[in-house]
């Protein structure tokens, strides 16, 4: 039996509901100087934060690995077109207002955090909407390396089209995730990917399941939990803290706070080694209340 390996692109769909954690207002002096800032960012959590650090070879007495199959989600992607347009329009306005607030003596941001927000600008435009980010490429590359160390007899080079099978959806982020996974295993050896079909029946089964689309994906009932959460004391508390930290005299809208949260986590996943300027608007407890 030949060892097979499949890399499948996008599989998980549906609404992701939000978990929440008790919020407390812990005043932090300066976000920029926090040594290891909190980076559990829901669906934008960098893989490096949550990966299984045990990459030792998997061994069971009397057994040897025969097959390895993996269905993987794509790595970190850029926001979609609508979200990027909103960021490009609204964030510079919020930036100006927050800086003006600080100049007038309102808000709780330290000098360094203000300087970081002042020099912030949006690092991407709609041309990359939904594409895999460079950090996303690295995530799949590194994941392949870790699996290779766990199953060296199956996943080691050289690549052989008979032994190693790959498939992704047509989406750029899925295709490139597959390509970088293959690169992690086989370096620059060219790897065959069969041409992807639109609405792949296995990888994108949800695209053709009308019952799921109507009863779950498009239903108002599915959004109920999200609306309840947006109105919860946890979320209202976070909005209150963020508004005060940025020097607003009334509470900001949920949408604005959510936008700042999004740019905070996107900038962090794009540049894991840098301080993500907008994260300074949140305390660690606020970041745990995921909007
Ligand atoms: C939040 O609560 C207010 C008043 O309690 C209500 O008017 C509003 O529709 C609620 N919003 C959402 C998104 O549920
Ligand atoms: C902001 O919202 C919080 C929580 O809902 C509330 O306690 C506070 O009074 C509001 N602040 C302003 C300035 O309206």
């Amino acid at each position: 039996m030949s060892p097979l390996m499949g890399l499948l692109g996008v599989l998980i769909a549906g609404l992701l509901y939000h978990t929440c954690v008790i919020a407390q207002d812990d005043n932090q002096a300066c976000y920029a100087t926090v040594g290891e800032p909190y980076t559990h960012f829901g669906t934008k959590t960098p893989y490096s934060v949550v990966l299984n650090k045990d990459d030792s070879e998997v061994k069971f007495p009397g057994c040897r690995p025969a097959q390895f199959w993996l269905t993987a989600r794509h790595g970190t992607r850029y926001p979609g077109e609508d979200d990027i347009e909103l960021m490009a329009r609204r964030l510079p306005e919020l930036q100006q207002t927050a800086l003006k607030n600080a100049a007038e003596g309102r808000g709780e941001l330290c000098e360094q955090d203000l300087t970081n927000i002042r020099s912030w600008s949006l690092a991407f435009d709609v041309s990359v909407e939904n594409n895999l980010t460079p950090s996303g490429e690295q995530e799949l590359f590194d994941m392949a390396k870790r699996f290779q160390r766990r199953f060296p007899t199956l996943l080691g080079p050289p690549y052989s089209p008979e032994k190693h099978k790959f498939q992704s959806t047509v989406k750029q982020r899925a295709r490139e995730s597959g390509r970088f996974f293959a690169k992690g295993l086989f370096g620059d050896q060219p790897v065959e990917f069969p041409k992807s079909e639109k609405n792949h029946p296995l990888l994108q089964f949800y695209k053709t399941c009308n019952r799921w689309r109507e009863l779950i994906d498009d239903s108002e009932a599915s959004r109920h939990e999200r609306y309840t959460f947006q109105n919860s004391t946890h979320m209202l508390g976070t909005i209150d803290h963020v508004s005060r930290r940025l020097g607003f005299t009334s509470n900001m809208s949920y949408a604005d706070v959510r936008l700042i949260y999004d740019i905070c986590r996107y900038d962090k996943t794009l540049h894991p080694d840098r301080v993500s300027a907008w994260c300074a608007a949140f305390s660690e407890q606020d970041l745990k209340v995921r909007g």
Side-chain angles (χ1 to χ4, degrees), residues 236-237 240 249-251:
L236 296 178
D240 180 36
T249 49
S250 59
N251 279 318

Side-chain angles (χ1 to χ4, degrees), residues 7-11 71 167-169 200-206:
L7 179 83
L8 312 177
V10 179
L11 207 80
T71 307
Q167 175 77 67
S168 81
T169 71
H200 192 283
L202 177 63
L203 297 178
Q204 293 171 295
F205 58 89
Y206 52 88

Side-chain angles (χ1 to χ4, degrees), residues 245-265:
R245 213 168 282 118
L246 296 180
F248 285 79
T249 49
S250 59
N251 279 318
M252 300 169 72
S253 67
Y254 169 81
D256 279 346
V257 172
R258 171 69 203 219
L259 196 63
I260 292 176
Y261 176 64
D262 274 341
I263 197 60
C264 149
R265 55 190 193 152

Side-chain angles (χ1 to χ4, degrees), residues 147-166:
F147 276 128
Q148 191 172 55
R149 287 192 284 271
R150 307 223 77 184
F151 300 98
T153 57
L154 295 182
L155 302 181
Y159 164 72
S160 142
E162 287 74 45
K163 282 168 56 177
H164 305 108
K165 307 282 184 205
F166 290 86

Side-chain angles (χ1 to χ4, degrees), residues 188-233:
D188 290 328
Q189 269 186 282
V191 164
E192 279 173 34
F193 276 81
K195 194 168 158 31
S196 302
E197 40 185 316
K198 197 162 179 282
N199 296 347
H200 192 283
L202 177 63
L203 297 178
Q204 293 171 295
F205 58 89
Y206 52 88
K207 292 267 187 195
T208 49
C209 178
N210 285 333
R211 192 174 145 79
W212 176 79
R213 292 175 75 132
E214 283 159 25
L215 292 182
I216 309 292
D217 198 30
D218 288 339
S219 90
E220 201 49 40
S222 297
R223 287 185 266 277
H224 173 75
E225 295 292 336
R226 194 171 76 201
Y227 294 144
T228 305
F229 173 66
Q230 286 178 18
N231 247 355
S232 68
T233 50

